[in-house]
Amino acid sequence: MRRMLSLLLILLLLGACGAPAAPAPTQENPEPAGTEEPVQPPEGEEEEAPEETGKPVEPEPYEISSPTEAREGYVPWEGIVEHLFFHPVIAYPELAFDGDAQTNGLDDFMVTVDEYNKILQSVYEKGYVLVDIADVWSETAGEDGAPKMVRNTLYLPEGKKPLILSYDDTNYYPYMLENGFAYKLILGEDGKVASWGLDPAGQEVVSRDLDAIPILDKFVEEHPDFSPFGAKGCLSLTGYEGILGYRTQTTTEGWDGAKEANRQQEREAVKPIIEELRRTGWTFGSHTWGHIRLGSGNLGKIQTDTQRWLDEVGSLVGETTILFYPHGERPDGNDWKNTGPAFQYLQAQGFRVFCSVGVESFSFIKKDICAVICDRLHPDGTTLRHSRDRYLQFYDAKDIMDIEIRPQREISWA
């Protein structure tokens, strides 16, 4: 009898062990609501793991090095370091060139996505490689112990030429949003920088093909020899409409707690974008907070504006030694001959490389103060129409310009 009871007990235990067991609740697989037993997959098929959500994407490794370090197979470059700058590129020309009051200005100062892609391809084919503007000059001590700027020797792959890229007004101002530009930078599902905006039909679009910054990122991914040191470009930021599409600015009218709370949210939202840009070879410079005219002689206004940029923009992007002149206007009239109070103040705030706009990639190391003056060339509608010869070392405007979609205005070479 005792033997039979033992046998029955064993059979009951074996039956219990054969029943499907509910999975233990975990963060990835929480306990399901209700009392239904989990369904087992058919024989021969494996159950798919539950999709994880909210897990940050592991970024791809990215290496940044200095072109000032000698290395095997690289040769010193002593010639001109060319410098091209762009404004944000036009993603939807049908919105930009629709005949409204903004049309001619956009035609003058911008390029389209298609034109920008062609320019990148051309400078790549002509042997240019990207270098960071901060690597071209360095601050050191002179024989008298006073600080001074020096031009660094750059070591490049044989047969290559250095190129600096900079991008003015990468703030995504409200007027741009109505005229065919991206609205802001974001991190896509793959963790890479992308643009967010609305297409002409009002549909949301996340893309790496509609804004100058992710377009260059993709181009370097596909042509890593275009950036042997990991450099991309320098983003020239104002602050009066925030930065990178995020409204991080303050205003002097009607400010209240709700607006400040929103500003702080925008500041937090833009920080991961800044971090990823820095990690992948992008740097930042000041374009003044209010896009002010530095040649006005109004030192008080320049001081107030600079402090505001440092507080609202510099506090996010970090210290920078690069200042890009709004309107190309030089402080004190002629900054490479004069060192007036405006220039002295700006230099005292940490700026060392002062960039204007000109007809060549001119640079000059000042002797009386630790600073460099340089000019940049500007691929845009104006130079595509009227300065073809000057830019032939980079590209041929005949191959670049979207004549069919731009306004029908005069073209000097046509």
Side-chain angles (χ1 to χ4, degrees):
M1 185 68 173
R2 189 176 295 173
R3 232 176 186 185
M4 286 185 70
L5 287 173
S6 298
L7 184 58
L8 283 171
L9 184 59
I10 290 170
L11 289 172
L12 286 171
L13 288 171
L14 288 172
C17 291
T26 65
Q27 188 171 359
E28 291 78 17
N29 185 24
E31 187 173 5
T35 57
E36 293 183 347
E37 293 180 348
V39 178
Q40 295 293 329
E43 239 179 283
E45 293 185 20
E46 291 185 7
E47 186 176 9
E48 292 185 5
E51 185 178 347
E52 294 185 8
T53 59
K55 184 177 180 180
V57 177
E58 189 70 26
E60 296 177 3
Y62 195 87
E63 184 177 347
I64 298 174
S65 59
S66 173
T68 63
E69 299 171 2
R71 63 194 77 191
E72 188 176 351
Y74 285 53
V75 295
W77 175 268
E78 304 292 349
I80 293 172
V81 179
E82 299 290 355
H83 187 165
L84 300 178
F85 93 91
F86 298 87
H87 290 98
V89 297
I90 296 169
Y92 302 107
E94 62 269 43
L95 297 181
F97 305 135
D98 58 0
D100 66 8
Q102 301 282 356
T103 294
N104 285 350
L106 297 175
D107 180 50
D108 286 339
F109 301 120
M110 313 298 191
V111 297
T112 66
V113 161
D114 185 53
E115 291 167 342
Y116 178 68
N117 279 320
K118 291 176 183 176
I119 290 171
L120 290 182
Q121 184 65 37
S122 180
V123 295
Y124 171 69
E125 291 175 356
K126 288 182 179 294
Y128 288 97
V129 293
L130 299 180
V131 296
D132 180 43
I133 187 172
D135 285 328
V136 179
W137 299 276
S138 292
E139 181 175 343
T140 187
E143 293 180 2
D144 59 357
K148 67 174 185 176
M149 297 298 288
V150 295
R151 162 73 187 273
N152 296 324
T153 298
L154 304 179
Y155 295 88
L156 308 179
E158 192 165 2
K160 299 298 184 180
K161 301 170 286 188
L163 176 66
I164 299 167
L165 294 180
S166 57
Y167 298 80
D168 282 10
D169 301 315
T170 46
N171 303 75
Y172 305 88
Y173 302 132
Y175 85 84
M176 294 179 178
L177 311 188
E178 305 168 352
N179 285 283
F181 294 81
Y183 279 47
K184 63 166 62 177
L185 297 180
I186 66 169
L187 295 182
E189 292 181 356
D190 57 2
K192 297 178 180 179
V193 174
S195 68
W196 180 92
L198 301 179
D199 68 13
Q203 300 298 310
E204 293 187 26
V205 179
V206 174
S207 176
R208 299 183 72 212
D209 300 309
L210 296 174
D211 181 86
I213 295 168
I215 286 173
L216 182 59
D217 283 339
K218 281 187 65 176
F219 193 88
V220 170
E221 289 170 13
E222 295 162 4
H223 308 86
D225 56 327
F226 186 45
S227 183
F229 313 104
K232 297 286 180 55
C234 189
L235 305 182
S236 169
L237 299 172
T238 62
Y240 69 96
E241 290 291 353
I243 63 171
L244 307 179
Y246 296 81
R247 302 310 173 206
T248 57
Q249 78 277 13
T250 59
T251 62
T252 56
E253 298 178 3
W255 200 252
D256 56 28
K259 290 181 178 178
E260 178 61 23
N262 182 70
R263 185 177 87 93
Q264 293 301 330
Q265 288 180 354
E266 293 284 278
R267 283 177 61 88
E268 291 305 311
V270 78
K271 287 178 181 179
I273 316 300
I274 294 168
E275 182 180 352
E276 181 62 11
L277 288 169
R278 279 201 173 280
R279 190 186 73 82
T280 53
W282 294 91
T283 56
F284 299 92
S286 171
H287 202 35
T288 77
W289 185 88
H291 206 268
I292 64 172
R293 293 188 175 276
L294 294 172
S296 66
N298 189 335
L299 181 58
K301 182 177 180 179
I302 293 172
Q303 291 172 330
T304 299
D305 179 274
T306 302
Q307 190 56 54
R308 200 164 184 182
W309 191 92
L310 294 171
D311 290 343
E312 295 188 13
V313 183
S315 62
L316 287 167
V317 302
E319 294 181 0
T320 180
T321 60
I322 316 299
L323 177 64
F324 299 95
Y325 296 157
H327 315 283
E329 189 171 292
R330 303 172 186 277
D332 309 314
N334 189 338
D335 57 358
W336 59 281
K337 287 187 177 179
N338 303 327
T339 306
F343 194 95
Q344 291 178 46
Y345 168 76
L346 292 166
Q347 193 270 355
Q349 304 312 301
F351 298 115
R352 295 293 181 268
V353 180
F354 296 77
C355 303
S356 188
V357 181
V359 297
E360 61 180 345
S361 301
F362 159 91
S363 65
F364 174 76
I365 297 176
K366 289 176 73 71
K367 301 294 188 287
D368 61 335
I369 193 170
C370 185
V372 176
I373 308 299
C374 60
D375 279 1
R376 310 173 284 164
L377 292 167
H378 50 111
D380 54 26
T382 300
T383 56
L384 285 173
R385 290 180 181 279
H386 303 298
S387 302
R388 173 175 173 256
D389 290 348
R390 188 198 311 163
Y391 286 79
L392 285 174
Q393 62 183 311
F394 305 108
Y395 53 82
D396 189 336
K398 289 183 178 181
D399 301 327
I400 303 298
M401 188 174 175
D402 289 334
I403 297 176
E404 298 300 321
I405 64 171
R406 281 185 174 270
Q408 299 305 299
R409 302 167 75 194
E410 180 188 358
I411 301 174
S412 299
W413 46 262

